[in-house]
Structure formats: C-alpha cells, structure tokens
Amino acid sequence: MREVFHQSLEDVQARLVEISELVTVAIDKATRAFGSSDVSLAEEVIDADLVIDQKTVELDELAIEILARQQPVARDLRIVVSALRVSASLERMGDIAEHIAQLTRMRFPERAVPKGLKSTFSKMGQLDVEAARLLTELLRTIDLTITDRIRDLDDKIDDLHVSVFEKVLSDSWEGEASATVDATLASRYHERFADHAVSIGKKMIYLATGDWASHGEAFEAAQAANA
Amino acid sequence: MREVFHQSLEDVQARLVEISELVTVAIDKATRAFGSSDVSLAEEVIDADLVIDQKTVELDELAIEILARQQPVARDLRIVVSALRVSASLERMGDIAEHIAQLTRMRFPERAVPKGLKSTFSKMGQLDVEAARLLTELLRTIDLTITDRIRDLDDKIDDLHVSVFEKVLSDSWEGEASATVDATLASRYHERFADHAVSIGKKMIYLATGDWASHGEAFEAAQAANA
C-alpha cells in the first residue's frame, strides 16, 4: 500500500515536470513568434495550449483520487495539495504564452513588437524561457536554491517591464495607439509569466517547510540550509 | 465526529462568503475611486487587500487541516478541494481590485480614467461589482443558476472591453500614450476580474457534479435541473 502510494506521488511529480516542459516550449515558441512575427509558430502555441489544459485537468483528477483513496497526512498531504496549486499556476503560464501568441497572430502580417522595443522584448522573452527552464529543474530536483535564481530573473524582468513604460511614456515615443496597446499588454504578459514562476517557487518552499504564512523566513532558512 | 466535520465544512463556506464580501467591497471602492480620482478611497482598497490575503491563507490552512484530520471522501472531499481553488481565485480578484486602486493613486492628482472612456469604465465597474455580489450569493446559497447570471455579466464586460480597444484604436482617439496605457491596463483588469467570477462558478458546478472535464454539459444539466 505504501509502495503504491509513493508510486502515485512520483507520478504526480513526473506529470508536473512534463507540464512545466510543455510550458517552457510554449513560452519559447510564443516569444520567438512575437519577435519575428511568425504566425505559424504562434498558431502552434495556441493549438498546444489545449494539451497543457488537458494535462493539468488529468493531474488534478489524479491528485484528488490520491486524496480520496490514500488519505495522505503530514508531508504527503502537503505534496498533493501543493501539486494542485502548482498545476493551477502552470496552466495559467500556458495561457499567458498563448496570449503572447495571440497578439502575434492578431497583428499579422504587421509586426507585433512595437518599434524601438524589439531588443527589450527579446530580453524579456529569453528571461521568461530561462525562468520556465529553472522551474522545470526545480520541480524535478526540489532543490530550493533554484527559487532564488528564479527570483533574480523575475527582478530583471520587472526592471524591463518598468523600462517599457518609461519608453512608451517618454517624449521620444512615436508609436501609434496600437503600438502603445501592444507594448502595454505584451509587457504585462511577460512580467506575469515570471510572477507565476516565483509563486510556484513559494509553493515548493511551503512543501519543504509546511508553513504558508512565513514564505520569507522559510526562504531564508532554506537558503541558509543550502549555504 | 461527523457533526464536528460538518461544522468544519460550514466554517469553510462561511469564510468563503466572508472573503467574497470583502472582495465586493474592494472592487466597489476601487472602481469608484478610479472613476472619481479619490486617492484616499484607493488607499483604503490597497490597505484592505492585506486582510483579504490573510483571510485566504487562514482558510487554506483550515482546509488542509480538515484534509489531514477528517480525511473526507467523495462529495466532502470535493467541497474542501473546491474551497482551496475558490480561495485562490478570490485572492486574485482582491489583487485586481488593488491594481485598479494603484492606477488611481499612480495618476493622482491627474484623473486615471482616460477622457472619453468615463462612462464605459463606470459601466464596467458596476458590472464587476454586480458580478462580485452574485458570487457572494452563489457561495452562500450554492444555487447554480447564479453562475448563468455571472456569465451574462461577463459577456457584457467582454463587450465593453472590446469597445475600449475600438475607441483607443479609432481615428478619433486623441489620448496621449499615458491615456492609452491606462485604458489598456484598466480595461484588462476589469475584464479579468469577471473572468475569475466565471471561473469560480465553474468550480461550484464541479462541486455539484464532480466532473472537472465537462463543465459545459454539467452547466446545461444544472440549468435543466433548475428549470
């Protein structure tokens, strides 16, 4: 019985890793499509989001079945509850990749990236992809020091997000209203994507410590333990 | 033991209703503050979001404790899992009300509502408040026909969201880049707020039917049952 249970938990973890890998592919393709106005690549992302949604539904069903049949307690219970939460965030990250792809498709054959912001969005895209890769590694290894690296990436993305608004609101901005709308939405999507990665990191810290309320201290403790 | 358990479930429900009421107050104040550039009202919303966050954390802890101690199965298990999901959406709705309040504060003493869009945002705000009120009623009564009314409101908000972009992208739009940014972000926030209400409605349908995958059919079935 215990063996069956631990196989189930390993199955949950393997599925989270798999979904995180799909999200990484999605954000990689979406940000490249956005940068190069590649509408067929954008459509791949839009189609593939259905797969991510389906896989998160299946994972949730498995998690609920485990709760019902195996009645886990203590750390095992936390693993299953955390999996439900992580799956919701991954599903949302997939949605955001799809939104970036939709912006690309909506503007095609025009370029979706506003003039003067191509290199900024290129950097934001690369950082989002890197955050997704680290997230997959975090879910695979449960090495909490990775949450620190994800937070660093998120800080960099936040700075770029601020720089987009500075650019758009500066006197030198010559973009039309549509370029301003696109810059605003695209920047928000890129920024939110990384926020979800940070949020999953916090959930993994909860998993290791059992304490929702003191993420900050738990984080420091985890860092100290790994130092 | 069963009696203790059902008291716990009633406690969970009462807390969800309470948080939904706080979210209703938040979106009401935030949208009024946005419309009238009332920075002190905006600050009330920003401060009060900490309370919403704290109450969702406490609710989550209670739900996890119930899972650990009472080991619910079948419908009782679904209630607890749904509560965790609903709480995450309510927390997010509170964040969105806070974002609208932050836009108001950021522009103060200037007006945050872009010229020419005052009545549109006033309508969106009223519809969001109405959606939040219906959501509270749904959580209190578990009357699934309310999900239908929430979806209708969401459709109206989506139409207004589209109309904001039509306005901003029309030849008659004379707003500066900052007005375009504000219109884009504010419209997105108003639209997302109602999306979460719809999403909670779907979770309540799951609760009644146990089927994540076929929300659509479940919804029709629930409607037929209530007809």
Side-chain angles (χ1 to χ4, degrees), chain A residues 7-20:
Chain A
Q7 278 176 358
S8 304
L9 287 190
E10 278 172 27
D11 189 12
V12 165
Q13 186 183 11
R15 288 179 190 221
L16 286 176
V17 169
E18 184 196 6
I19 297 169
S20 185

Side-chain angles (χ1 to χ4, degrees), chain A residues 60 64 67-68 71 73 77 81 84-85 92 99 165 168-169 177-178 180-181 184-185 188 192 206 212, chain B residues 60 64 67-68 71 73 77 81 84-85 92 99 165 168-169 177-178 180-181 184-185 188-189 192 206 212:
Chain A
D60 292 352
I64 292 168
L67 288 175
Q71 312 236 319
V73 293
L77 172 61
V81 170
L84 282 167
R85 293 170 178 279
R92 194 68 206 127
H99 290 336
F165 287 109
V168 164
L169 300 177
S178 65
T180 308
V181 168
T184 304
L185 288 179
R188 170 99 184 136
R192 285 294 297 154
Y206 160 73
W212 278 122
Chain B
D60 291 353
I64 292 168
L67 288 175
Q71 312 236 320
V73 294
L77 172 60
V81 171
L84 283 167
R85 293 170 178 279
R92 194 68 206 126
H99 290 335
F165 286 109
V168 164
L169 301 176
S178 65
T180 307
V181 168
T184 303
L185 287 179
R188 171 98 185 136
Y189 296 148
R192 286 293 297 154
Y206 160 74
W212 277 122

Side-chain angles (χ1 to χ4, degrees), chain A residues 45 69 164 173 222:
Chain A
V45 176
R69 292 191 184 213
V164 168
W173 178 247

